[in-house]
Amino acid sequence: MPQYFPPNSNAFAKWSIYGGMVFFIVLITVLAIFARVSNNKVGVAIEQPVAFAHNLHAGQLGISCAYCHASVETSAVAGVPPTETCMACHSQIRVGTEQLAAVQKSWDTNIPIEWNKVTDLADFVYFNHAIHVNKGVGCAECHGRVDQMEVVFKAEPLTMGWCLECHRAPEKFLRPREEVFNMAYEKPANQLELGQNLVEEYHINLDKLISCSVCHR
Amino acid sequence: MTVKPRDARKVIETDRVIAPGQSYGSVDDAVNSPVLLPLGRTKLWWFIGFGIAFSLLMLYLYTVIYLIVTGIGIFGNNIPVAWAFPIINFVWWIGIGHAGTLISAILLLFRQDWRTSINRFAEAMTLFAVAVAGLYPILHLGRPWVFYWLFPYPNTMGLWPQFRSPLDWDVWAISTYASVSMFFWFIGLIPDLATLRDRSENRFAKLMYGMMALGWRGSAKHWQRYQRAYLLLAALATPLVLSVHSTIAMDFAVAQLPGWNNTVSPPFFVAGAVFAGFAMVLLLAIPLRKVFGLEGLITKKHLDNASKVMLATGLIVLYGYVIEIFTAWYSGVEFERFMAFNRMFGNYGWSFWALIFFNSVAIQPLWSKRVRNSPIALFIIAISVSIGMWLERFVIIVVSLTRDFLPSSWGDYSGTLWDWSLYIGSFGLFLTLFFLFIRFLPSIAVAEIKELVHHTNHSESHEAPPTEVS
């Protein structure tokens, strides 16, 4: 009977078993790495109708976030300021420049500027700014150093795993309430101890935080 | 000494496990020759059968695509009957698979020689039935394309599957079942694949069979390892016969719905599965032996034994029905009693009585040897059992759900056109696979049959003491 397969095909068969195992291990590793580094469009600058610069307004001019994102402490949405807020200054400052033309136009026609959304959570997730801001979670924890951004980009992946990283152990991230708007805040060396105290002080209910219905209502 | 298939055909219908006068050659001729026939010379019945199966498969695919594009709303399931056709059909198909595992694993361990002629296609049946069954829960997820969320893998949600959810139990039950059945089937096939490799004349077929035969040369070492692997897998598969359908019974038991959490349920489900499975074995075996002329290998003994198993499990199932009603009464729980009453005389009362007829009354003729020896009668009874077992799941699922605790949440249910097309189409998937199987692979375990021939010849013709081969 003629041979249809060369003798070394036996070795191939044997190695294919190891190959299968290696494939499985590689697959799991790749998935694990993807889950770790999956950045969900982090760092991608999004173009806006007006070249509004946070690094100028919030950074150099030192305007508080809440001046423009006025509802951040009281409601679920932080809100993007209406043209009126801009005009409070820009009816005086740099009137008529090219960069502000769109703002002026919006002011004249009474049609709001259409800002493009940067941090956009899936619609099936419930998120609430007020609770975070009032329980000592700083803006920078989720939005990064906005005060240094020329154009706002997403600083954190905002995946569910990312939200849970904090919800499972908020004491690693909490800061005193007064520091929430402080973009340059640095965690102290005794963060865990401080965090634990804040969890107690703010009556944070740790068991509730990881139940699905908190975010998926 | 070679007996031509013609001669083998002459000795049709025997009560023995294998017709007298079989030799290695005659077995090869009867089983392997049709497989090795060039494609162009395939018999007409095969093309007709495959054509019908393939059209049904197209219906299935059409429904699946429509389902994916449109959404789960095309089915009749809705509150209160959130589990309906997809789950009925899932349980039905997975139940059918059980006979294959029972035949291949448990009967092997008990050294029942009559399993040999029917195990190969029964295992194939298991595999295909599990494949069809496994698709149902996925299709009924609503978002079938994210089915892999059911597996624990590192993901961006930081989530594990909910191991307390029946959906996840199904995943493990089915995937374990499918993989063990698959290995079992494949390992059993290896010696036969090697035979096909050696006997085929077509170069492509030689390569294909050769590749799948994994370099089998039939040395003593090979046989020893083969036997060991086969037994080991049989031992692994044996608990699965009991565990898979018990898991399915437990799926129901996690709900507090009356009628879904009887203690008798797991064994009752297992018996029902074996019952339906043997009916399907008969439904496939009877035409198969006819068209391939395999009456000398799948003999009346096989039909007889299979129908005895069917009768026994059928009686266990009947016992289950009686006990369900008894416990409902004996529990003294108002809702349980209402459930039992409603099953028999409620809005879907017809389904219960039809079920009793198809599942329990129709199998009574099997007490008679004449009936057990008549392929036609067996075929009809097997069809009846298949319908009955489908109705059983309908009764358990739909009737319980339409009438639960609160009259305000009662509702009615009927399957939509798409429910039916998915069900009928699923036969297409099953039969297409099956037709491909009987065309390209030996539907009888040739190597094992040869071993049997060897034994029979030794003890009968040569008067020599049987030698242990295994």
Side-chain angles (χ1 to χ4, degrees), chain A residues 63-86:
Chain A
I63 312 173
S64 163
C65 312
Y67 177 78
C68 291
H69 305 296
S71 57
V72 73
E73 283 172 294
T74 49
S75 104
V77 288
V80 173
T83 312
E84 283 83 347
T85 313
C86 313

Side-chain angles (χ1 to χ4, degrees), chain B residues 404-457:
Chain B
D404 66 355
F405 303 92
L406 277 178
S408 63
S409 62
W410 289 359
D412 279 332
Y413 170 79
S414 62
T416 61
L417 196 65
W418 295 109
D419 277 314
W420 286 105
S421 71
L422 192 69
Y423 179 49
I424 294 168
S426 66
F427 283 96
L429 179 55
F430 178 79
L431 289 176
T432 304
L433 290 170
F434 202 78
F435 271 103
L436 289 174
F437 159 70
I438 60 175
R439 179 63 188 82
F440 295 110
L441 291 171
S443 38
I444 286 187
V446 183
E448 289 181 45
I449 284 279
K450 285 183 185 163
E451 201 181 316
L452 200 67
V453 169
H454 180 80
H455 279 293
T456 332
N457 286 352

Side-chain angles (χ1 to χ4, degrees), chain B residues 310-384:
Chain B
M310 217 164 79
L311 180 59
T313 46
L315 292 174
I316 300 178
V317 169
L318 175 60
Y319 170 80
Y321 301 145
V322 175
I323 281 297
E324 273 190 337
I325 294 170
F326 170 77
T327 35
W329 166 78
Y330 188 68
S331 70
V333 177
E334 185 188 347
F335 300 107
E336 293 282 341
R337 285 186 177 183
F338 172 76
M339 178 277 300
F341 179 82
N342 180 56
R343 257 188 201 181
M344 289 185 283
F345 308 110
N347 50 342
Y348 289 102
W350 57 266
S351 61
F352 180 78
W353 297 112
L355 147 74
I356 294 290
F357 174 78
F358 284 121
N359 257 0
S360 308
V361 178
I363 58 166
Q364 297 312 320
L366 290 178
W367 291 100
S368 141
K369 183 150 177 86
R370 272 231 339 263
V371 174
R372 291 203 306 271
N373 268 338
S374 150
I376 299 201
L378 285 182
F379 195 76
I380 294 171
I381 292 178
I383 289 183
S384 154

